[in-house]
Each structure stands twice: as C-alpha cells, then as structure tokens.
Amino acid sequence: PDANGSPIEARLQTTHFQSRDDNHFVGRLDFNMSDTSFLNVRYVHARPNFLDPRTALGNARLRAGYNDNVQANFTKILSPALTSEFRFGWGDSGVARDDQLWTARALTIDVPGVDSTGGEGLTKGGVNYSLGTTWSWQKGRHALRFGGIYRKFTAKRFNEEMPVWEYQDVPTLL
C-alpha cells in the first residue's frame, strides 16, 4: 500500500506471453526370455520448455530442458535357491536458462529506479551411469543377498552475465 493505505496497482507490459510445454515420452519393454530369464527395459525422453516474460521489455527468460535415461534389469533364476540380477542405468539431463538480452548480446545499463536490462545465460546438466548386480541365495529358513553397484556422475555448469554499466541517476546517464 501507499502512504494513504491504498493498494498500489501496476501494469505489466511485456513482449512475450508466458508459455510452457513438456514433450515427454516413456517406453517400456518387459520380456520373459524363458521360464528362468526376465528382461525389463525402460526409456524416458523429455524436453520441457518454459518462457517467462519479464518487466524489462524484450528480456524474456527462456528455460529449455532435456532429459534422457535408460534403465535395464536382467534377472536369471539359476536354481530354486540361487537368483542373479543385473542392473544398468544411464541418464543425461540438463537445463539452459537464457535471458533474451543475453542471447542478443545487448549492453546492460543499470540506473536506480529504472528496470534493469541485465542479461544472463546459465546452462547446467550432467550424465550418470550405474552398473549393479545382486545375488540371492536361500538355504532352509535363511536367505543371503549380496552384490555391488558402480556409479559415475559427471556435471557441467556454464554461467555468463553481460557486463553492467552502472550510473548513479538518469541525468548522469544522459
């Protein structure tokens, strides 16, 4: 509210509408190779996007993501008392968040009381892998499970901002 207690109203004027889309696909295969061998595979593919208008005209923020992953599981019954399971996983995901003024390489000017026109580009993501195995052995009323897993994660990040020219006030700018 202002000094009189009345609500302050403002109009948001932008050059873009807010929009979202999520292109998403999931595929799965369950295959009984024999009475003692089973294979399960799953694939996920996604490309989410989001456009966010901003107060500085022409500086909408675009988020574009990607996600691909595969998971596979192979189970083998070796005997009534012994079972083996092998698992594999791979994933690649990330997101890019770019201001339109950064994409255009526009000059950034910052003056107190005036909307900032700063532009920034941020990209982050990574790839991960996993391999695992589990053995189950049953003897009478006792059950023993043992196994191991190997995982590897890689990550990347890029963050760049346009240089900012700062002024104390509008007359100094002019």
Side-chain angles (χ1 to χ4, degrees):
D2 64 12
N4 300 326
S6 300
I8 297 174
E9 295 181 13
R11 180 175 177 219
L12 174 63
Q13 181 178 355
T14 68
T15 56
H16 297 87
F17 292 103
Q18 186 179 56
S19 66
R20 296 175 188 235
D21 62 72
D22 186 18
N23 301 318
H24 193 88
F25 170 81
V26 177
R28 182 178 172 131
L29 169 70
D30 294 324
F31 181 53
N32 294 344
M33 302 169 77
S34 70
D35 289 341
T36 60
S37 299
F38 310 98
L39 177 67
N40 309 85
V41 179
R42 185 176 145 212
Y43 172 68
V44 176
H45 172 86
R47 296 293 183 266
N49 295 303
F50 177 61
L51 181 63
D52 189 17
R54 311 268 302 278
T55 56
L57 292 178
N59 195 22
R61 177 170 280 175
L62 175 64
R63 293 179 185 92
Y66 64 94
N67 180 13
D68 288 297
N69 68 57
V70 176
Q71 299 167 342
N73 182 13
F74 176 72
T75 304
K76 177 75 173 170
I77 301 171
L78 300 168
S79 73
L82 186 61
T83 303
S84 170
E85 182 181 11
F86 175 76
R87 294 180 303 275
F88 166 78
W90 171 85
D92 184 12
S93 63
V95 65
R97 186 192 74 199
D98 297 331
D99 296 338
Q100 297 302 299
L101 289 178
W102 176 81
T103 305
R105 300 291 193 221
L107 177 64
T108 301
I109 299 174
D110 193 14
V111 179
V114 178
D115 286 336
S116 176
T117 60
E120 175 185 19
L122 171 67
T123 303
K124 58 184 179 176
V127 177
N128 61 69
Y129 307 89
S130 67
L131 292 171
T133 186
T134 303
W135 291 80
S136 300
W137 179 58
Q138 189 159 350
K139 180 76 172 169
R141 296 183 346 192
H142 305 283
L144 178 65
R145 287 186 63 146
F146 57 94
I149 190 165
Y150 169 77
R151 291 184 179 165
K152 180 177 181 180
F153 299 98
T154 60
K156 57 187 173 191
R157 181 181 171 94
F158 168 80
N159 188 7
E160 181 181 64
E161 296 183 23
M162 296 303 294
V164 178
W165 291 22
E166 293 185 12
Y167 296 90
Q168 293 178 345
D169 51 34
V170 175
T172 307
L173 169 65
L174 300 176

